[in-house]
Amino acid sequence: CCPGCTSDLMGPFYDIEQNKIARPLLCHRVDSCVGGCVVMSKDPNGQRVFNELQRNRKLKKVYLAVTNNPVPVGMHICWFWKPANERGSTGGPPCQLVSFKPPESRRKSRQFWVRCVLEVVKCEPIEITKSGEHTYDPGDKQHFQSTIRLVTGRKHQVRAQLASLGSPIIRDTLYQPIAGLTLDVIMSGGGYGSVEDEDAKSAAIDEALSRCKVPTEPIGLQAHAILFGGIRAKAKTPWWGDGRGNKL
């Protein structure tokens, strides 16, 4: 979410009894290029309760993601380098690089790594058509829509994990250039893509990272639904349509 967007772009706000209330508080965030559900609270107590539910993993978050390559169905576990995942961290690429190798010890895991878990519940081919409501040109490419249950909520988690699996999200200019690139590839003595020479490999990785740009348009990712405390909130049809070629 963009800082200040709640007060600048949204409102007025009302409670369930239609009484006008002050600007609500954000309980969590999604990236500015991602659409869908965002939970807000009318007071700090509601925000605290939501944070407790989130910390105790009593929330269920479901995302829809569109890629040009199919995503393997099942549970996916990886690790983010912890210093790059901390708030306010600077330096290095703005994207998150993942590792599929478990840390060598629990101490190193706590100190340097962040565990990331998501489950791809379903992945099916869909149809996207040109529309005056968006500028995306699907061309003749095949598209797949994945339904994802987010187990841990990390910065860029869905985007980074799908890209590491070779299935970057459409329009995601931050992760498409590094599809298939992981920390394991960087640290290993093997090749990268079709490149085997070590110097050429380093140059290819640097070139890929240099093409990573923050998206300026909505990407193919939606925070589709969130369930907590007996409440179920579901987003409307995403910008790419319902998967059958129908528009919003």
Side-chain angles (χ1 to χ4, degrees), residues 45 133 179 188 205:
N45 181 62
E133 297 171 355
S188 72
I205 291 173

PDB file of all heavy atoms in Angstrom, residues 45 133 179 188 205:
ATOM      1  N   ASN A  45      -7.591  -1.072  18.874  1.00  0.00           N
ATOM      2  CA  ASN A  45      -7.876  -2.384  19.449  1.00  0.00           C
ATOM      3  C   ASN A  45      -8.117  -3.423  18.357  1.00  0.00           C
ATOM      4  O   ASN A  45      -7.608  -4.544  18.422  1.00  0.00           O
ATOM      5  CB  ASN A  45      -9.096  -2.318  20.368  1.00  0.00           C
ATOM      6  CG  ASN A  45      -9.399  -3.672  21.006  1.00  0.00           C
ATOM      7  OD1 ASN A  45      -8.586  -4.219  21.741  1.00  0.00           O
ATOM      8  ND2 ASN A  45     -10.572  -4.220  20.702  1.00  0.00           N
ATOM      9  N   GLU A 133     -10.285  -1.796 -20.576  1.00  0.00           N
ATOM     10  CA  GLU A 133     -10.171  -1.565 -19.139  1.00  0.00           C
ATOM     11  C   GLU A 133      -8.766  -1.843 -18.609  1.00  0.00           C
ATOM     12  O   GLU A 133      -8.491  -1.606 -17.437  1.00  0.00           O
ATOM     13  CB  GLU A 133     -11.200  -2.418 -18.400  1.00  0.00           C
ATOM     14  CG  GLU A 133     -12.636  -2.032 -18.769  1.00  0.00           C
ATOM     15  CD  GLU A 133     -13.660  -3.016 -18.215  1.00  0.00           C
ATOM     16  OE1 GLU A 133     -13.232  -4.033 -17.628  1.00  0.00           O
ATOM     17  OE2 GLU A 133     -14.858  -2.767 -18.366  1.00  0.00           O
ATOM     18  N   ALA A 179      13.789 -14.724 -13.441  1.00  0.00           N
ATOM     19  CA  ALA A 179      13.074 -15.999 -13.325  1.00  0.00           C
ATOM     20  C   ALA A 179      14.078 -17.151 -13.289  1.00  0.00           C
ATOM     21  O   ALA A 179      14.970 -17.244 -14.138  1.00  0.00           O
ATOM     22  CB  ALA A 179      12.116 -16.175 -14.500  1.00  0.00           C
ATOM     23  N   SER A 188      26.568 -21.428  -6.188  1.00  0.00           N
ATOM     24  CA  SER A 188      27.086 -22.704  -6.678  1.00  0.00           C
ATOM     25  C   SER A 188      28.144 -22.485  -7.743  1.00  0.00           C
ATOM     26  O   SER A 188      28.306 -21.392  -8.281  1.00  0.00           O
ATOM     27  CB  SER A 188      25.942 -23.545  -7.252  1.00  0.00           C
ATOM     28  OG  SER A 188      25.501 -23.000  -8.486  1.00  0.00           O
ATOM     29  N   ILE A 205      24.226 -12.757 -14.598  1.00  0.00           N
ATOM     30  CA  ILE A 205      23.442 -12.459 -13.390  1.00  0.00           C
ATOM     31  C   ILE A 205      23.362 -10.954 -13.169  1.00  0.00           C
ATOM     32  O   ILE A 205      22.292 -10.409 -12.876  1.00  0.00           O
ATOM     33  CB  ILE A 205      24.063 -13.162 -12.173  1.00  0.00           C
ATOM     34  CG1 ILE A 205      23.866 -14.683 -12.292  1.00  0.00           C
ATOM     35  CG2 ILE A 205      23.441 -12.642 -10.873  1.00  0.00           C
ATOM     36  CD1 ILE A 205      24.583 -15.476 -11.215  1.00  0.00           C
TER      37      ILE A 205
END
